[in-house]
């Protein structure tokens, strides 16, 4: 938010001190800086990022529990843990939760927290809108999960094909909750995307050209562009489904002359770019982590940037590879088959760049580095099975079997989830001022790696042995007896899920041990990893205003170049230490900007967000609720528009820097 100093001869605009009795529209801004109100009404991108993260982690555990119940059901022949109907609800909600309520918002947590810091800004472009997107996501996720207690959750699978999704085959309200819940979370994604796109394009610090932007911000930027175009597609599809189910429309009804394949096209035109929305942020995270722990710059930065953008583009042209068995005809199948193979190229470029970044480096195997390398290995395995799907004749064998389930868990869990965990360990000291335990971190990593391969590896074999996905019992498919049959591999996969669960639990233990009352974990030093990108030039945790002085950027890896001087000749770089990270940060503090402006907290984002689930319950239960929700929304929008631009407390002159306290810091 650029500050334009008011010329001395222009009189200040005096905002009248509102008195409650004089004007309905004038509400004072909340001023609490501590307690629950300082979180509920905050517009600070860092606090919003942390709340995205906590909520997404909660939903990860919910989605993991659902997966555990699925694997428990399939661990033995003729399982009785879940009925057929409950099983359908379980995998539908597992997938929906993991995709829309865990991976997407966790990536939003990182983007919200780090994009302003990486581009040298004090906050995002629209702070109140940012708070709105957070609360809309949280209320949308809660709304969706209340279906478990209100007649049953959605049961048609995460891509909810018609006519299975119609009231005839899915009579409970579950699918209505699904269609409305995803429309609500879609608003959060769209509002968030617009906010971050404007932040990247308009809020970069002086000198921060697009090709000097840290790679995570680049990948997150590509993701926001994908969201901008993908979310409207699924929103239209969900709208049609809502009107088909709640208001008797026939958009997907064969008997009315419509075509159920319309839903499949709409869903996958969104659905395939969606998989890049899931994995590109993690690609960005490990592209930050690998150079730091290899003590080398990222190999081929421009290639990593443009291969990410290329994936973003080509990803729009492959959707029908999810429909190879739906009778599209040879020409379409051939075109989408070739396009799908083509998308392996920019993905391969990334894997080569990561490998060459590590190659010849001085490797430091921290937990963050292990997770980053884990992503390269596990994602590549998933990518290879993906290429086998691109070959339409073999996909006709594989589609709808456990081989497919194996594939997308290797790319999503092996890609997106491992990347997010690399981000936790890498940026934890920046966000919370403490390092997570490396010992517990190694347990976390190895148990997750062993667990995921034991869980998802055998699924390739189960699929090739003929086990279809989404079947609550597998005894009907006992193809090929002998020892290594469906029974054996299902048991291994379910035992693997336990190992995986323990691995994920180790992360929670690590957080508890590091932050519990009386914890002996020391404060992290300012620059624990000898990092490279700009966010490390703020304090840990960053101050509310991020930077005391708006940074002037001269280079890609600005923080690295502030610390090291290149005394080498030409391309033969030879870096000598000029100043430590802590000294660079202190230098910034000594030269603080004269005046800093920050956005003030606001009541209205959370109130406006609450109006949406009220209206959604209205669509399912009673039109009066729609009216009530709309009234709350209108009132909130008026309050938002009429509240004072900024309350005094958020305007301040930065205090002089604290004298060095000699606080004891953790040894890294
Ligand atoms: C935590 C470990 C996980 C385990 C043990 C697990 C296990 C499973 C299993 C067994 C199924 C197949 C159900 C069936 O068709 O019979 C499944 C489906 C699925 N999972 Fe996971 N999963 C995990 C994590 C994830 C993550 C992180 C994501 C995505 C972000 C994800 C996305 C999906 C999707 C999209 C489906 C397809 C559901 C459908 O057919 O509608 N899973 N999962
Ligand atoms: Cu796809």
């Amino acid at each position: 938010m650029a500050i334009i100093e008011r010329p001395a001869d222009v009189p200040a605009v005096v905002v009248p001190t509102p008195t409650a009795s004089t004007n309905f529209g004038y509400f004072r801004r909340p001023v609490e800086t501590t307690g629950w109100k300082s979180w509920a009404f905050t517009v600070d991108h860092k606090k919003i990022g942390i709340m995205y993260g906590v909520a997404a982690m909660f939903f990860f555990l919910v989605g993991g529990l659902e997966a555990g119940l699925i694997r428990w059901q399939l661990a033995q022949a003729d399982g009785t843990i879940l009925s057929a109907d409950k099983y359908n609800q379980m995998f539908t909600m597992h997938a929906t939760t993991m995709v829309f309520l865990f991976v997407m918002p966790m990536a939003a947590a990182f983007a919200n927290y780090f994009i302003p810091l990486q581009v040298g800004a004090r906050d995002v472009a629209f702070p109140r809108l940012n708070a709105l997107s957070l609360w809309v996501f949280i209320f949308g996720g809660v709304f969706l999960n209340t279906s478990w207690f209100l007649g049953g959750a959605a049961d048609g699978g995460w891509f909810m094909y018609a006519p299975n999704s119609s009231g005839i085959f899915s009579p409970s309200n579950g699918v209505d909750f699904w269609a409305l819940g995803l429309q609500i979370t879609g608003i959060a994604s769209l509002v968030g995307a617009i906010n971050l796109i404007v932040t990247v394009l308009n809020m970069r610090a002086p000198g921060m050209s697009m090709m000097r932007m840290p790679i995570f911000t680049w990948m997150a930027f590509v993701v926001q562009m994908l969201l901008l175009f993908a979310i409207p597609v699924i929103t239209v599809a969900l709208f049609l489904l809502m009107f088909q189910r709640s208001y008797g429309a026939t958009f997907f009804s064969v008997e009315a002359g419509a075509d159920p394949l319309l839903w499949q096209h709409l869903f996958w035109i969104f659905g395939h770019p969606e998989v890049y929305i899931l994995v590109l942020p993690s690609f960005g995270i490990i592209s930050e982590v690998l150079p730091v722990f290899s003590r080398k710059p990222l190999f081929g930065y421009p290639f990593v940037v443009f291969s990410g953008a290329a994936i973003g583009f080509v990803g729009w042209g492959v959707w029908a590879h999810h429909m190879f068995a739906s009778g599209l005809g040879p020409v379409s199948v051939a075109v989408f088959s070739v396009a799908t193979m083509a998308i392996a190229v920019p993905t391969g470029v990334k894997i080569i760049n990561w490998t060459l970044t590590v190659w010849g480096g001085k490797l430091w195997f921290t937990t963050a580095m292990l997770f980053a390398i884990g992503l390269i290995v596990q994602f590549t395995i998933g990518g290879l099975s993906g290429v086998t799907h691109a070959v339409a004749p073999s996909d006709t064998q594989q589609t709808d079997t456990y081989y497919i389930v194996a594939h997308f868990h290797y790319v999503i869990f092996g890609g997106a989830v491992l990347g997010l965990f690399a981000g936790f360990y890498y940026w934890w000291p920046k966000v919370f001022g403490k390092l997570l335990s490396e010992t517990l971190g190694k347990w976390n990593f190895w148990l997750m790696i062993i667990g995921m391969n034991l869980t998802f590896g055998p699924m390739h074999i189960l699929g090739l042995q003929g086990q279809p996905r989404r079947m609550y019992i597998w005894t009907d498919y006992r193809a090929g007896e002998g020892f290594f049959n469906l029974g054996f591999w299902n048991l291994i996969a379910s035992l693997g899920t336990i190992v995986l669960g323990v691995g994920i639990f180790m992360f929670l233990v690590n957080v508890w041990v590091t932050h519990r009352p009386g914890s002996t974990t020391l404060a992290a030093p300012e620059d624990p990893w000898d990092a490279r990108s700009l966010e490390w030039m703020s304090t840990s945790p960053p101050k509310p205003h991020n930077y005391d002085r708006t940074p002037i950027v001269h280079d890609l890896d600005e923080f690295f170049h502030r610390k090291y001087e290149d005394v080498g000749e030409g391309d033969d770089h030879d870096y000598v230490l000029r100043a430590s990270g802590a000294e660079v940060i202190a230098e910034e503090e000594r030269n603080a900007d004269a005046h800093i402006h920050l956005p003030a907290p606001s009541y209205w984002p959370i109130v406006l967000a609450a109006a949406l689930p009220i209206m959604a319950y209205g669509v399912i239960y009673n039109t009066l609720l729609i009216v009530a929700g709309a009234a709350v929304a209108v009132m909130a929008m008026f309050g938002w528009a009429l509240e004072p631009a900024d309350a005094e407390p958020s305007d301040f002159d930065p205090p002089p820097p604290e004298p060095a306290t000699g606080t004891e810091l953790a040894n890294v």
Side-chain angles (χ1 to χ4, degrees), residues 107-108 111 115 189 192-194 196-197 219-229:
I115 288 183
S189 299
I194 293 165
L196 293 172
I197 289 169
M219 291 305 111
F221 178 67
V222 172
V223 167
Q224 307 315 314
M225 295 302 282
L226 286 173
L227 284 166
L228 195 64
F229 293 102

Side-chain angles (χ1 to χ4, degrees), residues 128-442:
R128 287 180 293 177
L129 269 186
N130 207 19
L132 177 74
S133 56
L134 167 77
W135 295 113
V136 169
F137 145 60
I138 291 179
F139 294 154
V142 172
F143 168 82
L144 185 58
N145 278 283
T146 53
S147 59
W148 283 114
F149 313 102
L150 298 166
D155 56 0
W158 90 284
F159 42 75
M160 208 57 76
Y161 278 1
N164 197 23
S165 58
S166 70
I168 304 163
F169 300 105
S170 290
S172 83
N173 290 329
V175 176
D176 303 304
F177 274 92
W178 186 84
L180 289 156
L182 292 188
Q183 283 179 65
I184 295 176
T185 56
I187 294 170
S189 299
L190 207 52
V191 169
I194 293 165
N195 213 337
L196 293 172
I197 289 169
V198 176
T199 303
V200 167
L201 295 178
N202 286 3
M203 309 280 290
R204 281 170 285 128
M208 174 70 79
S209 63
M210 292 296 277
M211 289 314 277
R212 284 183 180 162
M213 275 203 316
I215 193 73
F216 171 74
T217 291
W218 248 117
M219 291 305 111
F221 178 67
V222 172
V223 167
Q224 307 315 314
M225 295 302 282
L226 286 173
L227 284 166
L228 195 64
F229 293 102
I231 295 291
V233 179
I234 187 71
T235 303
V236 167
L238 293 167
F239 221 68
L240 300 182
L241 178 62
M242 181 180 77
F243 273 81
Q244 168 121 357
R245 287 183 57 90
S246 304
Y247 304 109
T250 54
F251 297 112
F252 310 115
S253 311
V254 178
E255 59 278 12
D259 185 343
L261 278 189
L262 169 65
W263 170 269
Q264 294 195 25
H265 282 292
L266 285 173
F267 183 89
W268 288 118
I269 288 172
F270 150 80
H272 191 85
E274 170 67 8
V275 303
Y276 295 117
I277 289 168
L278 296 179
V279 84
L280 281 175
S282 291
F283 284 3
I285 292 173
I286 72 158
S287 302
E288 296 276 352
V289 168
L290 291 168
V292 168
F293 298 111
S294 305
R295 301 277 177 258
K296 283 175 58 183
L298 180 65
F299 184 91
Y301 166 87
F303 279 87
V304 179
V305 168
F306 292 117
S307 60
I311 288 174
F313 274 107
V314 184
W316 286 94
V318 297
W319 80 86
H321 67 211
H322 295 272
M323 301 164 64
F324 278 159
S326 68
L328 287 178
V331 177
S332 312
V333 167
V335 169
F336 282 100
S337 184
V338 172
T340 305
M341 292 172 192
I343 210 162
V345 175
T347 316
V349 165
K350 279 190 183 301
I351 292 167
I352 291 166
N353 283 68
W354 292 327
T355 310
L356 292 175
T357 300
V358 173
W359 188 269
K362 286 197 216 76
L363 307 185
W364 181 8
F365 289 105
T366 58
T367 308
M369 182 63 159
L370 288 174
F371 272 111
I373 293 172
L375 183 154
I376 300 176
V377 176
Q378 304 291 154
F379 180 83
T380 304
I381 295 172
L384 293 172
S385 62
V387 175
T388 66
H389 304 328
V391 183
S394 69
D395 182 67
T396 314
Q397 291 299 323
Q398 297 155 356
T399 195
D400 274 346
T401 73
Y402 253 83
Y403 188 90
I404 298 283
V405 179
H407 159 70
F408 63 68
H409 282 96
Y410 267 87
V411 281
I412 303 181
F413 201 98
V417 179
L418 293 187
L420 293 172
F421 273 78
F424 294 151
Y425 280 90
Y426 176 57
W427 275 316
W428 202 271
K430 171 55 59 186
V431 177
F432 299 105
K434 284 189 170 186
L435 291 152
L436 289 171
S437 152
E438 279 294 309
T439 313
L440 289 171
K442 302 279 174 1

Side-chain angles (χ1 to χ4, degrees), residues 43-170:
V43 296
D44 177 342
H45 73 99
K46 298 180 289 301
K47 282 188 170 171
I48 290 172
I50 291 171
M51 288 191 277
Y52 259 116
V54 172
M57 185 50 80
F58 169 75
F59 285 122
F60 180 42
L61 300 176
V62 171
L65 191 69
E66 290 158 348
L69 287 168
I70 292 171
R71 285 305 334 160
W72 189 10
Q73 166 69 14
L74 298 172
Q76 66 274 305
D78 302 319
T80 55
I81 310 298
L82 299 169
S83 67
D85 186 40
K86 265 287 172 285
Y87 187 88
N88 293 346
Q89 295 178 36
M90 211 51 78
F91 66 67
T92 305
M93 288 301 280
H94 156 73
T96 304
T97 302
M98 284 296 196
V99 169
F100 294 99
L101 305 181
F102 164 51
V103 176
M104 286 171 79
M106 191 58 88
F110 281 107
N112 260 288
Y113 199 100
F114 287 105
I115 288 183
L117 284 167
Q118 289 207 324
V119 300
R122 293 219 156 91
D123 210 305
V124 295
F126 311 111
R128 287 180 293 177
L129 269 186
N130 207 19
L132 177 74
S133 56
L134 167 77
W135 295 113
V136 169
F137 145 60
I138 291 179
F139 294 154
V142 172
F143 168 82
L144 185 58
N145 278 283
T146 53
S147 59
W148 283 114
F149 313 102
L150 298 166
D155 56 0
W158 90 284
F159 42 75
M160 208 57 76
Y161 278 1
N164 197 23
S165 58
S166 70
I168 304 163
F169 300 105
S170 290

Side-chain angles (χ1 to χ4, degrees), residues 595-599 646-653:
H595 186 72
I596 291 175
H597 170 87
L598 278 181
D646 287 314
E648 283 70 27
S650 68
D651 278 31
F652 63 103
D653 297 337

Side-chain angles (χ1 to χ4, degrees), residues 477-629:
Y477 310 96
R478 202 176 286 206
E481 282 306 326
F483 183 74
F484 297 108
N485 62 12
L486 295 186
F488 173 79
W489 292 117
N490 270 300
L491 183 60
I492 298 293
S494 297
L495 293 175
T497 305
I498 298 172
V499 177
L500 183 53
V502 174
I504 294 164
F505 184 68
M506 289 309 273
F507 173 73
L508 301 176
V509 171
N510 202 340
V511 173
W512 168 251
V513 166
T514 306
H515 291 282
R516 66 180 166 74
S519 160
T520 55
T521 307
L522 297 172
E526 290 291 12
D527 180 23
W529 315 126
D530 191 14
R532 308 178 69 89
S533 42
L534 191 67
E535 77 275 14
W536 291 97
M537 209 161 82
S538 64
T539 55
S540 297
K543 295 172 181 160
H545 52 284
N546 291 358
Y547 295 101
D548 285 300
R549 168 169 70 173
T550 300
I552 311 294
V553 175
H554 310 89
D555 252 305
L556 173 63
D557 290 342
E558 176 67 18
F559 186 52
F560 177 83
H561 291 287
R562 294 277 184 108
K563 295 184 289 180
Y564 292 92
E565 187 172 357
D566 186 0
V567 295
E569 302 295 319
D571 285 345
D572 181 15
H573 299 293
D574 180 12
Y575 293 103
V576 293
L577 188 68
R578 184 200 333 248
S580 72
E583 285 162 348
V584 170
I585 294 167
E587 170 73 14
E588 294 299 300
E589 286 183 321
R590 274 194 297 277
N591 299 289
D593 289 339
H595 186 72
I596 291 175
H597 170 87
L598 278 181
S602 172
Y603 296 115
W604 300 111
I606 193 168
V607 176
L608 181 54
L612 295 171
I614 298 173
M615 288 193 269
Y617 281 117
V619 172
I620 297 173
Y621 295 111
N622 187 319
T623 312
L624 279 180
L625 273 175
I626 301 177
V627 178

